[in-house]
Amino acid sequence: MLPGPVPGPPRALDGDGGGGFAVVDVEATGRSPWRHRVVEVAVVLLDARLCPEGEFATLLDPLGPVGPTHVHRIRQCDVEGAPRFREIAPRLLELLAGRVLVGHHVSCDHAFLDREFARIGVPLPPVPLLCTMRLARAHLPEARSHGLAACAEAAGLGWYPAHTALGDARVTAELLRHCLGAPSCPPDDWAGPLREAARVPWPRLGRARSRPSGTAVPLVRREAPYGPWLPGSRAPEVVLTQAGAMGSTA
């Protein structure tokens, strides 16, 4: 069985990724990776022992309508000035390289990322995937359904800011720990993908640290406190924060 994570908040992502797991979540302007765009992306990094290594999140300018605001609660004004996907693509490649890609219904998140990279002419390699929905079906029998909220509830993870990319990615990382720590979970569920991920060659892109105007590429992050909350109480609002920038031109 894998050991539990080291206590404490994840550190900021300053160095390159490599080894372990990249837990991803995207919010999109619709359901089709071919017709719709990613409007928010988050990555939570865990090492091979499931210890937190860092996280990255930002809203993205989809260069068009933001889509179902009633679902993801992202308004058109929220993405004004946010980076475009091509501006953060080099950083995403660095974070995902050498890692197992994890998500709840991970094939959906992977399809959106794959299509976004394809739009800028970068083919993603055949990265190993690990789906917490599949793991929950096998190792969380008490879940009333296999959606992320129901699985989080069954695993005792409390309230989380659903349909925010960072909130979903964080709780998916906790769900991964819960499922991989179950006595019913064989090592092959995680050891094989880890070995495979270490052998996958990844492309690299030069970082777009500034825009043609000379201004730094901004990151716009949505945050909300975690629960648990008392039954019937109102959850706090999700707020936008300026999460720094990609850096200045080298």
Side-chain angles (χ1 to χ4, degrees), residues 33 37-38 41 85-97 101 109-125 202-205:
R37 303 296 302 270
V38 173
V41 61
F85 185 86
R86 61 176 172 79
E87 293 177 313
I88 65 152
R91 189 69 185 115
L92 277 182
L93 288 176
E94 292 171 357
L95 298 177
L96 301 179
L101 195 67
D109 299 290
H110 177 261
F112 271 101
L113 290 177
D114 185 66
R115 186 59 191 151
E116 288 288 358
F117 277 109
R119 288 187 179 103
I120 61 171
V122 178
L124 282 186
W202 276 77
R204 293 276 182 168
L205 290 175

Side-chain angles (χ1 to χ4, degrees), residues 17-104:
F21 305 90
V23 186
V24 299
D25 188 81
V26 303
E27 298 298 322
T29 62
R31 294 184 177 183
S32 169
W34 291 89
R35 294 188 292 109
H36 300 118
R37 303 296 302 270
V38 173
V39 73
E40 186 179 30
V41 61
V43 182
V44 173
L45 297 188
L46 305 174
D47 68 14
R49 294 169 60 85
L50 298 180
C51 299
E53 292 191 305
E55 56 188 29
F56 172 91
T58 186
L59 291 174
L60 296 172
D61 182 354
L63 303 177
V66 296
T69 298
H70 66 285
V71 175
H72 53 47
R73 291 168 291 164
I74 299 170
R75 301 165 299 172
Q76 205 68 41
C77 62
D78 294 335
V79 301
E80 293 177 2
R84 300 176 182 181
F85 185 86
R86 61 176 172 79
E87 293 177 313
I88 65 152
R91 189 69 185 115
L92 277 182
L93 288 176
E94 292 171 357
L95 298 177
L96 301 179
R99 296 180 182 269
V100 178
L101 195 67
V102 181
H104 202 75

Side-chain angles (χ1 to χ4, degrees), residues 130-168:
L130 194 54
C131 183
T132 53
M133 180 182 289
R134 181 187 65 81
L135 289 171
R137 289 181 187 275
H139 309 299
L140 196 63
E142 61 271 33
R144 53 185 171 81
S145 71
H146 295 104
L148 184 55
C151 290
E153 180 184 11
L157 302 180
W159 181 90
Y160 68 98
H163 299 297
T164 66
L166 186 55
D168 285 354

